Amino acid sequence: MKIKNNIALSDSGFLFNPSTGDSYSVNPIGQEIIRLFQEHKTMDDVVKLITKEYRIDKDTVEKDLYDFQNMLQSYKLSE
Amino acid sequence: MEKKQYERPIIKSLNAGLMNKFGTRTEYAPMTHIDNVAVKDLIREFGSPLFVLSERKIRDNFKTAKRIFETRYPKVQFAWSYKTNYINAICNIFHQEGSWAEVVSRFEYEKALKNGVPGKKILFNGPDKTDDDLRTAIKNDSPIHIDHLDELYRLIELATELKTKPRVAIRVNMDTGVYPMWDRFGFNYENGQAWDAINKIMATDKLNLIGLHCHIGTYMLVPSAYGVAANKMADLALGVKKRYNKVISYIDMGGGFASKNTLKGSMQLGVDYVPEINQYAEAICSTLLNAGFDKDELPYLYLETGRALIDDAGFLLGSVISNKRLSDGRRATIMDFGVNILFTAFWYDHKVSPAQEFGMHTEDSVIYGPLCMNIDVVRENISLPPLKAGDQVVVHYVGAYNITQSMQFIALRPAVVLIDLSGKPHVIKQKESLKDVENNEVMPDYLKKIKL
């Protein structure tokens, strides 16, 4: 997933879309995932990295990632 | 390196300054323990979902209410409203505290007798009393609260038949200035029906009119309505004394005091707007004390308080079955409990707390139950932390009217556990089994065999 270039994400989880003026709050794992997408990591990469770092199984991360991607798309934050 | 605690990724749109039907996040601190017993352990031992009642809270609530009324009025008697929660162990906590029983059906009447309540301490309310019910109540010397003229006339006939003078009260309904007016039970004060009933009782001399009963509504948010009601009840009692030189020995003000639950559609939380019991007590007691009774003829004040004494002592523990995303972007969380066991979800926005720690981020969610029916909605709008399948939650204020109104619909009803004063859990109602449900079914012989 490619996150739009102009999306700004602060360390406290405040996300701003300058194209629309909309703002969002993102929890810490959400921030980490958005940063990984900004680094052009693939879905598989993200799943691997998250399962390595957190106490969670691969299937749960995959399910949550599908949902999170859908939300990013619905908020028009991805290209 | 130790791995970090995982939490589902969430992103939430910020709408500063706009009205938000989900409200702010003020009530979702995790509740990991009930009376020092871990929610996790309770679910592990007794299953999920699970009703949990706190004996400490019940006794505290009762003692507080009793003290509040007894410091304002010299003659007070509580009667436990069986329909609010009639599990025998719960009833007996109230009976141990000195409460009589208030019942509205033969089934409840029999429960009270089995629990050891003497017949004369069982107040028999309700519109549906058969001849057999009335005969039993008469023989046990229970105060019978007459609901309608048909019951009154049947009682006169039964009193003649049994050659006894049953102790009775009439239920009175009235305008207390609140809407809706509960006029379907009893005899109306304003249009003279109450006096018609009293005159009939006094004229026949077959019944012993010992009390007057009212129950002005449920979840009453205006304490002054009780003042109005007490005034009208006192007027009737004083009128009986004046007209017939008969002293009414008790005025039963019924129940209806609100619990701290939040009504659907309310802009504030119940804890912020529900009156305290002392406000109800002040309205009732000061009215009765100032009504003009002679010192020696002050009637007993009976109270049938249910909900306000037990709602906050009850918790429903449950687990997340699944999460899904609705078409409009809202999060939907499916729990293993629904309106089948949480009937009050139809009129309350129950407080729901996670039973484990979460971060500060929440999502706007809907809570659905497990029933395969569209009406099975526990909360329509709620901000919840990112719960995942298997996570546990605690639903608050469920002690009143849920266990007694729970439905056996496609799922077995859960166990009920009481945590005693020392923090020990006791099963006070076993989880239902298929055998319990099928116990009264009868299979005709010709339908016993099937071949598919």
Side-chain angles (χ1 to χ4, degrees), chain B residues 395-421:
Chain B
V395 187
H396 301 248
Y397 303 112
V398 304
Y401 292 104
N402 281 305
I403 293 166
T404 47
Q405 290 192 104
S406 62
M407 288 175 276
Q408 179 276 304
F409 172 70
I410 76 162
L412 300 168
R413 280 174 284 202
V416 183
V417 163
L418 177 75
I419 299 177
D420 72 15
L421 298 176

Side-chain angles (χ1 to χ4, degrees), chain A residues 25 27 53 55 64 67, chain B residues 3-4 6 8 325 331:
Chain A
S25 84
N27 69 346
E53 194 179 345
R55 285 194 298 274
D64 290 346
D67 179 63
Chain B
K3 288 187 176 183
K4 289 193 275 189
Y6 177 79
R8 173 157 46 81
R325 185 72 65 181
R331 162 73 57 182

Side-chain angles (χ1 to χ4, degrees), chain B residues 104-141:
Chain B
V104 291
S105 68
R106 178 66 176 270
F107 151 75
E108 287 190 346
Y109 189 92
E110 297 291 342
K111 273 178 91 77
L113 282 179
K114 274 179 75 180
N115 283 336
V117 183
K120 64 181 182 182
K121 295 183 176 178
I122 303 174
L123 308 178
F124 200 174
N125 282 323
D128 176 21
K129 305 184 195 89
T130 63
D131 281 4
D132 191 46
D133 299 344
L134 292 170
R135 273 195 198 94
T136 305
I138 293 168
K139 283 174 186 163
N140 288 323
D141 201 22

